[in-house]
Amino acid sequence: MNTKILSVTGKETELIVKVCEYVEILYWGCIINTKSEGAEYSLSRPIPYGRLDTDIPMTLHPELGRGLFSSPALEGHRNGKGWAPVFQTTNVKQGRKELTIYSEDKAAGLQLVTELRLDEFDVIKLRHKLINTADGIYSVNRLANTLPLPERANELLTYYGRWVNEFQQTRMRLTQGGYQQENRRGRTSHEHYPALIAGTQYFNETHGDVWGFHLAWSGNHRMRVDVKADGRRFMQAEAIYLPGEVALEKGDSIATPWLYATHSECGLNKMSQHFHQHVRSNILNNRLTKKARPIHLNTWEGIYFDHNPEYIMDMATESAKMGVERFIIDDGWFKGRCGDKAGLGDWYLDKSKYTKGLEGVIEHVNALGMEFGLWFEPEMINKDSDLYRSHPDWLLAMDNYEQPTGRNQYAIDLQNEDAFNYLFERLDYFLSKYNISYIKWDMNREIVQPGHDGYAAGHKQVEMYYRLVDKLTAKHPDVEIESCAAGGGRIDFEVLKRTHRFWASDNNDALERQQIQRGMSYFFPPEVMGSHIGAKHCHCTRRTHDINFRGLTALFGHMGIELDPVKESETEKQGFMKYIQLHKQLRPLLHSGDAIRLSTDDDAHLAHAVIATAQDKAVVLVAQLSMPTNSLSSTLRIPGLNKDKLYSISLLDYPENFHDIVNLQPLWTKEPVVASGEWLKKAGIAMPILDPESAILIGLKEA
Ligand code: DGJ
């Protein structure tokens, strides 16, 4: 194949790709407008002594057989042979924003199709498909997506977490030895959110080159960023296949999950803009713009398993009075479900609780002008259930082994056709019989030994989960789905293609939520992040927060309330009502504007904003996390506005004692002040003084 130098451009990003017998990205960065013929020769590398005698490219599909001593993109074999394939490009198709590259290794009997797309928001999508073209089984141990990183990417932002503590971030130097994370928990996981960010030293919200990566896969994965001995570096992401799991017969194929990536030359906020726009338009396909995100009332923290339909109807009545738009009955409504030890799998209404059926409750909810939603955990089963008693073989497990339970439950083998059909039939039954417009789809345990007929089935289980959701949504296209897995255990782009929002965390503590939501904001826009006002006394941390902090924290997501409104005081209910109204008023802006994180001079603050795309208005939230470090907290600079426009600044919400805790708060909090976008970015406004665990909301409007 003759060497071709191809350029793929997005809005501001360009990929310069060398296609010859292999494919190498020579450049990934801002568009280069003036290019001379043969400019790529300026990048030809020297060949040092003491290593292989030819230049070894850092290809899109690193191969040991080509002499690249990095983690190869493919590890596999045909009964011990064909284990070091080297693919030769056979064809390239170029669209305006995409390349499809076909290559093959005839000796190994393999074909590879590589799809590389760069969208209008500068987000790259990459995946490889491997096809076995020869007789006999080709066993695939690994198949990875690889993208190069420039040598100046020497710092990483990665994620860690756990139940009730999702999306925690850590920073580290990227140096020889690199970084690797492995998730073997069988779902996207709280612990290893499948994303990371590389950048130039000290990159922050507004400065530095950054490259963000997200692997769209809801199961086991491996992500690594490696620094080769020669200094070159790359990012690699893959689904983990369990032993023997991928065995391709002649003609069979396996594809990697999509790897999403983007570059920003000015920090994290711009990277997030790319991902947010991509999510809105190309992951959600603008599905959420069809109607405003309805305010939820979820029964879980209000009543847990204690279901009494009369009482639930009272809860609905109180919810409607506060302005709630969708009422969701959580766990506890189905047969035998009186606690978390029994019932999963028996997706029949618990007639001992709902003696008059569910219709009356739903009609009541609908008559109050609210939509109705219902909780399911379809992939799970308790041994104490009729389902298990009649189908003990439906477990996703291995004979002769006793696996540990998680929340007293096991997973169902979705490759078992009868089990799959049963689950579909049960879900379909409820969606067909009742006026249910929303499902909260939960998944509360990690997968330990995913066995199907004695074979490993971790990868297939995830694919079958997608298939089950897809089959259901094909039949019930108007039903919305929330992805939940003990809070934020299944949050990724692939799930979002078939769902509408995520339950970000079981932690409803506003202080903790500030950090969790910030972590999530790097890749997801506010409207897909379920964010609820919980009870004053948080069930999860036992902290107490007043309504100002809880309300403003829940405001910047897909908002809801999660408590028992019947038991709440009038004062509390007035508070919920106030923030529901505020959310409804700001919702069009919050769910369509550019969400940015603001840098603050004091780590005791966390500030973020949403700016209308027309740059005519914005809202800014400043949360005071702990005691201010100094008695004065400097200024708050707000980037992202139109530098030439004038904005009037107003304080939209503040804690009750705001004016009493100091001699004087900054003037702008009382008197109307007008400032330009340039002023707000460069000089900013004086920070007020706030008590720990409180927040203010600032409004900016074109004057
Ligand atoms: C875990 C979820 O994260 C909670 O919101 C709730 O739905 C419970 N499961 C119900 O069992």
Side-chain angles (χ1 to χ4, degrees), residues 89 93 101 130 174 177 199 244 246 249 266 400 416 429 454 478 670:
T89 312
K93 285 192 190 146
I101 303 130
L130 180 75
L174 172 60
V246 183
E249 305 259 9
C266 54
N400 306 319
N416 179 317
Y429 168 85
D478 295 331
K670 279 193 161 168

Side-chain angles (χ1 to χ4, degrees), residues 292-297 319-320 323-327 365 369-372 437 558-559 580 583-584 587:
R293 303 289 77 219
I295 309 254
H296 285 191
L297 183 299
S319 305
V324 168
E325 296 161 314
R326 184 185 272 157
F327 186 85
V365 168
M370 296 185 292
E371 293 179 20
F372 179 77
S437 48
H558 178 178
M559 190 172 166
I580 287 174
H583 182 79
K584 284 183 181 170
R587 182 163 58 185

